[in-house]
Amino acid sequence: MKFKTIEWKGDRVRILDQRRLPQEVHYLDCRDAASVGKAIRTMAIRGAPAIGVAAAMGIALAARKTRSHQPETFFKTLNDVCDAMRETRPTAVNLFWAVGRMKKMLDEVYVRGVDGTKERLVKEALRILEEDVEVNRKIGMFGKKLIREGNGVLTHCNAGALATGGYGTALGVIYSAWDEGKKFQVFVDETRPLLQGCRLTAWELIQEKIPATVITDNMAGALMMKGKIDLVLVGADRIASNGDTANKIGTYGVAVLSRWHGIPFYVAAPTSTLDLTLASGSDIPIEERDVGEVTHFQGVPVAPKGIRAFNPAFDVTPGSLIDGIITEKGIVRKPFKKNLRKLFLTPNSRKKRFQTGSCRTPNFREAS
Ligand code: MRU
């Protein structure tokens, strides 16, 4: 990638400010956890895996900057930072997953001491970033076979390098297929109201010189009807145990259209986006954002004063409309309830299950 979404600089976290793209490549230097939290809340950095990485780095920064050598005080300060990070955005589970990993390190402060814990927290944040890039590349490797020469591939929102530690999930699949030499067209839903498709996905694809066409969200059906779309690839913010998937508002509509037109619809997401504690998508908390994002366009009113507006940032696509979930462990197909759980079986638990004949598979992580 020709840019870095987020970087650890030792005394600060450097974030590519996505609110200014595509007009300007501007980096924000966050010097404390509060400014990292603000960057997540105000969407200077966004996308499920990327906000997980940012939260982890914000906690690591707080650890580095905390002066106290008393385990109790250190624990209390950092625990408050973890709580504050959890409050930044509600839907993407990667945020809670990453904070959970950091919290585990923090919990050992009474055993390992303050200095040791500080270094472990920094290392863990960097590991979360590195692992995310590796995982994205694996998703790309598994997903690339879905794209055929000459295909039209539609994507919604931004699930690229900007939305992750680097490379991307849905866009990672596109990059992998392109790098293999396949030639195809990408159609990019603009993704109202914040235009993550038009501003961010299109910007990434231009950098990578991959042929792409931006469309407004209401054009997807017409393109499908004309036979221009062969495959839909989207990212995810949280996937429930039955495969129901929360992703950027508008994804559900694209999935319904895909089913009507018989077009394969795939979700690309790391296993850190799975929330197997939830039975279905109706349990996923959906963020509602300021209605000004709907009534105004870049600060200019586009609706009459006094009109009511509604601004859910995500919707839930039922698992029944999804042909497969591309993870770093392979492509998972229906029945999702059974097959998603299988991803968390270790070789040992598989053996044990075989030996005991037990059907219980409790070996999956706690999501939040
Ligand atoms: O509100 P955003 O921009 O954070 O929403 C992002 C999305 O919905 C992405 O599609 C999702 O996080 C997947 S990113 C790999």
Side-chain angles (χ1 to χ4, degrees), residues 243-247 250-253 255-256 265 267 315-322:
D244 291 355
T245 295
N247 191 47
T251 305
Y252 169 58
V256 172
F265 182 95
V267 170
D315 59 25
V316 175
T317 299
S320 57
L321 294 180
I322 298 169

Side-chain angles (χ1 to χ4, degrees), residues 66-97:
T66 302
R67 295 235 165 85
S68 173
H69 285 278
Q70 287 251 308
E72 291 80 11
T73 319
F74 183 82
F75 180 85
K76 162 104 185 55
T77 309
L78 268 289
N79 199 40
D80 288 351
V81 173
C82 290
D83 287 346
M85 286 298 172
R86 287 193 191 97
E87 292 296 315
T88 51
R89 293 192 73 190
T91 302
V93 77
N94 310 62
L95 177 81
F96 304 94
W97 170 86

Side-chain angles (χ1 to χ4, degrees), residues 339-358:
N339 293 338
L340 286 173
R341 269 172 188 261
K342 275 194 197 160
L343 293 177
F344 295 96
L345 286 175
T346 60
N348 265 351
S349 61
R350 256 185 238 276
K351 209 158 85 192
K352 208 164 152 196
R353 204 156 68 102
F354 180 70
Q355 281 163 354
T356 59
S358 159

Side-chain angles (χ1 to χ4, degrees), residues 142-181:
F142 284 117
K144 67 184 178 188
K145 63 175 182 235
L146 298 170
I147 301 179
R148 302 220 174 98
E149 189 75 22
N151 271 181
V153 181
L154 177 69
T155 187
H156 189 76
C157 193
N158 172 264
L162 289 167
T164 59
Y167 204 64
T169 56
L171 281 196
V173 171
I174 286 169
Y175 294 144
S176 296
W178 189 258
D179 287 347
E180 210 177 53

Side-chain angles (χ1 to χ4, degrees), residues 43 46-49 89 157-159 163 169 196 236-237 247-248 314:
M43 295 177 70
R46 31 63 54 203
R89 293 192 73 190
C157 193
N158 172 264
T169 56
Q196 287 93 330
D237 289 87
N247 191 47
K248 181 52 56 195
F314 303 95

Side-chain angles (χ1 to χ4, degrees), residues 8-21:
W8 174 254
K9 294 281 187 189
D11 61 340
R12 69 214 131 97
V13 177
R14 179 163 280 184
I15 285 172
L16 175 54
D17 188 344
Q18 300 187 29
R19 297 166 302 187
R20 300 208 192 183
L21 288 172

Side-chain angles (χ1 to χ4, degrees), residues 68-220:
S68 173
H69 285 278
Q70 287 251 308
E72 291 80 11
T73 319
F74 183 82
F75 180 85
K76 162 104 185 55
T77 309
L78 268 289
N79 199 40
D80 288 351
V81 173
C82 290
D83 287 346
M85 286 298 172
R86 287 193 191 97
E87 292 296 315
T88 51
R89 293 192 73 190
T91 302
V93 77
N94 310 62
L95 177 81
F96 304 94
W97 170 86
V99 173
R101 275 180 65 163
M102 298 298 280
K103 180 70 178 25
K104 260 194 188 150
M105 296 287 149
L106 177 63
D107 287 345
E108 290 178 18
V109 65
Y110 296 103
V111 183
R112 300 191 185 261
V114 170
D115 287 344
T117 303
K118 280 187 181 185
E119 284 327 296
R120 292 183 91 227
L121 284 165
V122 172
K123 271 197 187 142
E124 188 68 353
L126 293 176
R127 207 175 299 142
I128 289 172
L129 170 66
E130 273 165 34
E131 281 175 15
D132 188 56
V133 181
E134 276 168 34
V135 154
N136 283 195
R137 289 200 176 267
K138 286 185 185 154
I139 289 173
M141 200 191 71
F142 284 117
K144 67 184 178 188
K145 63 175 182 235
L146 298 170
I147 301 179
R148 302 220 174 98
E149 189 75 22
N151 271 181
V153 181
L154 177 69
T155 187
H156 189 76
C157 193
N158 172 264
L162 289 167
T164 59
Y167 204 64
T169 56
L171 281 196
V173 171
I174 286 169
Y175 294 144
S176 296
W178 189 258
D179 287 347
E180 210 177 53
K182 285 181 190 163
K183 297 284 173 260
F184 54 90
Q185 268 281 333
V186 183
F187 291 91
V188 180
D189 271 352
E190 68 169 346
T191 320
R192 274 279 286 155
L194 294 183
L195 307 185
Q196 287 93 330
C198 185
R199 293 188 300 106
L200 309 177
T201 299
W203 184 76
E204 284 197 31
L205 292 170
I206 289 273
Q207 312 277 312
E208 298 304 313
K209 298 190 170 53
I210 298 178
T213 305
V214 168
I215 58 169
T216 63
D217 299 331
N218 48 4
M219 293 174 187

